[in-house]
Amino acid sequence: MASTSTDTPTDAVTVYVDEKVGSDDAGDGSIQKPYQSAAQAIVNHGPSPPLVILTRKSEEEEWVAIGISALKKARKGAEGIEKKRQKALAAEAKAAEKAAAQEKAKDVVLEEDLSLPQAVKTKIKYLEKYRGQRVRISGWVHRLRSQGKMIFVVLRDGTGFLQVIIGGKLSQVHDASLLTNEATIEVVGNLQEVPAEKSAPGGHEVVADYWKVIGHAPLGDDSYLSRFNEETGPSILADLRHLVLRGETQSAVLKLRTALLSSFRHALDALDLKEVTPPCIVQTQVEGGATLFGFKYYEEEAYLTQSSQLYLETVLPALGDVYCVQESFRAEKSQTRRHLSEFTHLEAELAFITFDDLMTHIENAICDTIDHLLATPGVSELMKVLNPDFKPPSRPFLRMSYADAIQWLVDHKIQHVTEETEDLPDAEKVYVDHVLGDDIAEAAERKMTDEIGRPIFLYGFPSHLKAFYMQKMKGPAGEGPNGMVFTESCDLLMPGVGEVVGGSMRIHDADELLAAFKKQGIPAEPYYWYVDQRRYGTCEHGGYGLGVERFLAWIGNRYTVRECQLYGRWPGRATP
């Protein structure tokens, strides 16, 4: 039975609140359909006529009049509900107003004023010479901001960025309400210099007198800005690489890559090397069979090339010193930030040289490339975005033998993990000093380079660590303990990144080369054309390979080489 007060006004309205089975949405306050909260009862029925609220916490309890404290709380809750309702009504009205404006905007049709001077169609990078004139520019909406009846757009066309002001009738068309990042538009208007106290890309802006949408971009959850952000994981970023490329940082990396390749070619051409294009489909190995990508080439076995070196050697008698910029493929199941399954390989071969000549050439090629790159128009702006503290390497580079490097690591107590414990948890790994014959681990090599703080040619590696084609050192310098033989091979190490170039002199004696094949268990027959280079007029020659992505990561201050390729390929990743 409900408990009620004897002084209840005769015109009072009684409502029921059951906190367990009541419903604020479906209830009407009757005993059959109680509310769940007293706040909703006050919103729906109060404050007049007088309201009597009877409550209970479960069906087993009696109905009782709400307490003073609970009533105060309910009134406060009712105020909150009412505020939300008013806010929702205002939002609904605003949405209706916007919809009406958009509907009205559909009737607004823009037409270019043909009485105005004819606009010059051009790219953003060439705009400065057209200041004070009417121009026509097309591009993607990079940034967008509305302020009253003005729309400020930063337009991007791949050559640069441009601020555009769209105002008056131009901002009231239906397309303006649908405009968002990455939509493509055409803009026509007067190009004017921005006042000294203001800033804009290029120091100028276009005040539009006509514009149109070429292609819309999605709004809402599918909009460009909603697809990813700074917290998005690397896997999703790789899936969305086609969109990530549009960002300022990633586009700067690719622009720097373009300039770098051009500077490489300029430097090598100036050093009298000719560019050639070797095949990517091969039937021989260069860097070991374990890293070959094999496939069926018609009815024969073939591979994707690991290196173009062998083919470059065959061109020396025809063209002299040569180089190539070609894709190479390595089937290493490595997930490090320095490895890719497909990478751009800059390789060169030079005839009639010594080992010292080879290292000097590499040093010149690297430094000349960097000098040309930094002198290229626009590169300084890219470097400000990517690596403002970059300093070109100074000459001469330090030359350190492999044996001296082993001793340096021992003296500086830089150890390496034993092969038996390298897969164990960190607490269980065992570390020991380096000894002659060890393959110096990447981490130790980089630590040494960073501590020395200058470019290092690390040279004279043991033959068992290197490829079959590398020339052995002559005389006492080529001999080590226990029959160890050192090679005329070198790696160029840069502080902060490690190895950027690997090179060597090549075996130039046919018999010695055939013996190297036999020792490695490689059949010589498929290499008949390579052996012929030693049979038909041999000479001392050498060459090197440079991973463009790794080099770009160095100068562009990128954490991983995966950022330095258009669409990276590594184990488990071949999309998009």
Side-chain angles (χ1 to χ4, degrees):
M1 178 181 291
S3 172
T4 59
S5 174
T6 56
D7 57 354
T8 300
T10 56
D11 60 344
V13 174
T14 300
V15 295
Y16 295 85
V17 175
D18 189 315
E19 296 179 11
K20 186 174 183 180
V21 299
S23 171
D24 287 344
D25 294 326
D28 58 12
S30 66
I31 198 169
Q32 294 83 12
K33 294 183 178 181
Y35 294 114
Q36 189 178 40
S37 70
Q40 192 64 50
I42 294 173
V43 168
N44 290 1
H45 297 278
S48 62
L51 191 64
V52 175
I53 301 176
L54 302 180
T55 71
R56 67 181 183 185
K57 294 185 180 297
S58 68
E59 293 178 275
E60 291 76 26
E61 295 184 5
E62 294 288 331
W63 295 102
V64 297
I66 190 170
I68 294 175
S69 177
L71 183 59
K72 286 182 179 179
K73 185 177 179 181
R75 285 172 177 164
K76 190 173 182 179
E79 290 176 3
I81 292 173
E82 183 60 23
K83 285 181 181 179
K84 286 183 180 179
R85 189 178 73 87
Q86 292 299 331
K87 188 176 181 180
L89 288 174
E92 188 177 323
K94 187 175 181 180
E97 183 182 345
K98 184 178 179 180
Q102 289 179 343
E103 196 63 32
K104 184 178 179 182
K106 291 180 180 179
D107 297 329
V108 180
V109 178
L110 290 181
E111 292 185 358
E112 186 174 352
D113 189 344
L114 300 181
S115 68
L116 294 173
Q118 185 174 4
V120 178
K121 184 176 181 180
T122 186
K123 298 283 189 180
I124 290 175
K125 69 177 293 185
Y126 303 117
L127 278 176
E128 187 172 354
K129 61 185 177 182
Y130 297 113
R131 285 181 181 177
Q133 299 183 47
R134 195 163 174 261
V135 296
R136 185 184 305 272
I137 298 290
S138 298
W140 288 261
V141 176
H142 189 67
R143 283 193 291 273
L144 180 68
R145 176 172 60 90
S146 296
Q147 186 175 318
K149 293 186 177 181
M150 305 287 286
I151 300 174
F152 295 88
V153 173
V154 174
L155 200 65
R156 181 189 78 242
D157 72 349
T159 71
F161 299 88
L162 171 68
Q163 180 166 285
V164 176
I165 300 174
I166 300 174
K169 179 183 175 182
L170 300 185
S171 67
Q172 298 169 25
V173 296
H174 183 56
D175 276 341
S177 65
L178 302 177
L179 197 60
T180 187
N181 291 66
E182 297 308 316
T184 44
I185 63 175
E186 179 185 80
V187 176
V188 184
N190 188 59
L191 179 69
Q192 60 185 31
E193 189 174 358
V194 296
E197 68 275 9
K198 295 185 178 180
S199 63
H204 45 230
E205 61 190 7
V206 166
V207 179
D209 58 58
Y210 172 76
W211 74 284
K212 68 178 181 179
V213 173
I214 298 172
H216 281 292
L219 297 165
D221 291 342
D222 286 331
S223 70
Y224 178 80
L225 296 179
S226 298
R227 296 294 297 275
F228 54 88
N229 53 46
E230 292 180 354
E231 283 72 45
T232 304
S235 179
I236 294 177
L237 290 177
D239 288 340
L240 299 178
R241 179 70 174 168
H242 58 294
L243 298 179
V244 173
L245 293 176
R246 303 182 181 202
E248 290 182 34
T249 299
Q250 281 304 304
S251 63
V253 171
L254 294 181
K255 289 175 183 176
L256 183 60
R257 179 188 169 104
T258 296
L260 175 62
L261 288 172
S262 177
S263 294
F264 270 130
R265 287 185 165 98
H266 179 274
L268 294 175
D269 290 347
L271 291 170
D272 291 327
L273 276 71
K274 298 177 182 65
E275 184 173 6
V276 295
T277 309
C280 285
I281 298 174
V282 300
Q283 292 185 306
T284 52
Q285 67 184 52
V286 183
E287 299 296 333
T291 67
L292 285 168
F293 281 109
F295 65 97
K296 204 64 151 179
Y297 180 67
Y298 301 106
E299 300 304 319
E300 297 182 277
E301 295 296 328
Y303 313 99
L304 294 176
T305 185
Q306 301 163 311
S307 166
S308 297
Q309 174 208 318
L310 306 190
Y311 291 96
L312 290 179
E313 290 185 50
T314 69
V315 188
L316 292 175
L319 301 181
D321 300 343
V322 291
Y323 75 96
C324 71
V325 181
Q326 185 78 292
E327 296 306 289
S328 286
F329 305 83
R330 303 281 173 87
E332 297 172 272
K333 293 185 178 175
S334 175
Q335 294 282 3
T336 77
R337 60 192 178 100
R338 287 162 47 87
H339 288 88
L340 291 164
S341 298
E342 175 186 0
F343 63 97
T344 303
H345 210 174
L346 187 149
E347 299 180 87
E349 291 293 320
L350 300 96
F352 303 105
I353 61 169
T354 66
F355 187 34
D356 282 341
D357 293 337
L358 175 64
M359 288 189 281
T360 299
H361 165 87
I362 294 172
E363 180 176 315
N364 290 336
I366 295 298
C367 292
D368 292 352
T369 295
I370 295 297
D371 290 345
H372 183 270
L373 177 70
L374 296 179
T376 301
V379 167
S380 59
E381 289 81 2
L382 298 176
M383 295 299 279
K384 285 177 184 177
V385 174
L386 300 172
N387 193 3
D389 298 325
F390 178 77
K391 291 181 175 56
S394 57
R395 310 187 210 195
F397 295 170
L398 175 65
R399 298 187 183 186
M400 175 186 284
S401 73
Y402 163 84
D404 288 344
I406 291 292
Q407 188 61 52
W408 192 98
L409 294 170
V410 172
D411 293 344
H412 290 77
K413 296 179 171 51
I414 298 175
Q415 298 182 311
H416 70 97
V417 66
T418 62
E419 186 176 346
E420 296 77 17
T421 65
E422 62 184 0
D423 294 328
L424 297 178
D426 288 346
E428 300 177 34
K429 292 185 188 308
V430 175
Y431 290 85
V432 296
D433 285 339
H434 290 81
V435 297
L436 284 176
D438 284 345
D439 190 0
I440 301 174
E442 177 186 326
E445 190 176 75
R446 291 183 64 180
K447 190 170 183 180
M448 178 183 72
T449 309
D450 290 347
E451 288 196 21
I452 293 174
R454 57 183 291 198
I456 302 172
F457 272 119
L458 191 59
Y459 71 89
F461 294 93
S463 60
H464 69 271
L465 298 178
K466 290 299 182 178
F468 69 89
Y469 51 77
M470 294 190 179
Q471 181 67 54
K472 312 299 187 294
M473 282 187 171
K474 300 176 181 65
E479 299 174 0
N482 302 318
M484 191 179 301
V485 178
F486 298 113
T487 58
E488 291 186 325
S489 57
C490 63
D491 288 345
L492 177 57
L493 313 177
M494 288 293 182
V497 66
E499 180 190 345
V500 294
V501 180
S504 78
M505 297 297 288
R506 320 308 192 187
I507 294 175
H508 58 273
D509 180 80
D511 292 337
E512 188 178 342
L513 179 62
L514 290 171
F517 280 129
K518 186 175 182 180
K519 184 175 180 180
Q520 293 289 326
I522 300 172
E525 290 76 13
Y527 295 85
Y528 71 92
W529 49 273
Y530 184 63
V531 177
D532 275 354
Q533 305 313 306
R534 282 80 180 159
R535 296 176 61 238
Y536 290 83
T538 190
C539 72
E540 290 192 355
H541 63 284
Y544 57 93
L546 177 151
V548 171
E549 288 82 9
R550 192 175 291 185
F551 197 91
L552 181 57
W554 166 49
I555 64 171
N557 194 31
R558 297 297 91 198
Y559 176 74
T560 171
V561 292
R562 296 177 181 183
E563 297 180 56
C564 300
Q565 202 171 40
L566 189 61
Y567 289 100
R569 295 292 183 255
W570 57 88
R573 170 62 58 181
T575 301

